[in-house]
Amino acid sequence: MKNTLALALALAAALPLAAHAHKAWLQPSQTVIAGTNPWITVDAAVSNDLFHFNHVPLRTGNLAITAPDGSRAEAQNPATGKFRSVFDLELTQQGTYRIAVVNAGLTASWQEDGKPKRWRGNAASFGTEVPKDAPELKVTQSVSRVETFVTNGSPNDTALQPSNQGLELVAITHPNDLFAGEEARFRMLADGQPAAGIAFEITRGGTRYRNAQEEILVTTDANGEFAVTWPQAGMYWLETSLEDDKPSLPQAGARRLGYVATLEVLPQ
């Protein structure tokens, strides 16, 4: 039986944001640049401390880069080491690029010989790797997006248009026009619809060098919008998640959506 959006929001509200000790992120070397075919480099990792490489690399097999005209751009010189992935990007167009790692698949858990079993994969491998009649079988569809934004010259919003799949951030304030002491506004969508009541954790980088995380906690309003006033310049990490009972894959009984963005706030 399909539950209502209220159930989804209740589940989202119950999610312990602080429980996600490891943070996934993309960090560009610059977010605002101007020139003829300038280059940037991007680090991708999952870490304990924000923007420090100390856990595992973020895999970039599902990297999608949207150029300012809406076409797909290709990363250059990709490599993955022990703690991070890295790639370069030549900004051959003027405008704003959207750089994202979008993962989608299934997770399952069940009991086997009295012991818990866990599995992660895609719909194609599910049929051969997960026993359909396993005791206590639970299957969840997952869709996650980790992204950042970079502008060469004047910003535009062609690459920022939502795909209407999973959780996505819509920029009311352009993500490359952020300054310390100023308010920025954003709208959150779930499958293209305003996502009300979604809790965000917003944390400035450099957590390794301070005792307190200094998270900013905000919640989207009835229109899916939220505002944040940046306390100081720096790289910021935004994260939220949502669980609902609207999987698009028949194998799953529930769905988990995740969203992460890295935004750079510049000094006045």
Side-chain angles (χ1 to χ4, degrees), residues 43-116:
D43 293 312
V46 181
S47 67
N48 299 306
D49 301 311
L50 268 178
F51 309 129
H52 285 266
F53 322 113
N54 56 13
H55 186 51
V56 296
L58 177 66
R59 303 292 175 179
T60 56
N62 293 322
L63 178 67
I65 304 174
T66 306
D69 66 355
S71 64
R72 179 157 182 159
E74 295 299 326
Q76 305 292 324
N77 308 316
T80 296
K82 178 67 175 177
F83 292 114
R84 63 170 171 166
S85 296
V86 63
F87 58 88
D88 299 324
L89 177 64
E90 184 180 15
L91 309 180
T92 60
Q93 298 181 26
Q94 297 285 308
T96 301
Y97 289 74
R98 184 182 191 181
I99 303 169
V101 174
V102 183
N103 290 313
L106 292 168
T107 61
S109 63
W110 66 93
Q111 292 289 322
E112 186 173 299
D113 298 327
K115 298 180 180 179

Side-chain angles (χ1 to χ4, degrees), residues 103-110 117-123 125-126 129-130 136-144 243 247 249 251-257:
N103 290 313
L106 292 168
T107 61
S109 63
W110 66 93
K117 298 282 290 187
R118 296 186 182 278
W119 173 89
R120 181 187 300 271
N122 55 38
S125 59
F126 178 86
E129 298 177 1
V130 177
E136 302 181 29
L137 176 62
K138 296 181 180 178
V139 183
T140 301
Q141 181 181 3
S142 62
V143 180
S144 68
E243 291 187 5
L249 297 175
Q251 299 91 338
R255 183 175 69 157
R256 187 176 193 278
L257 307 177

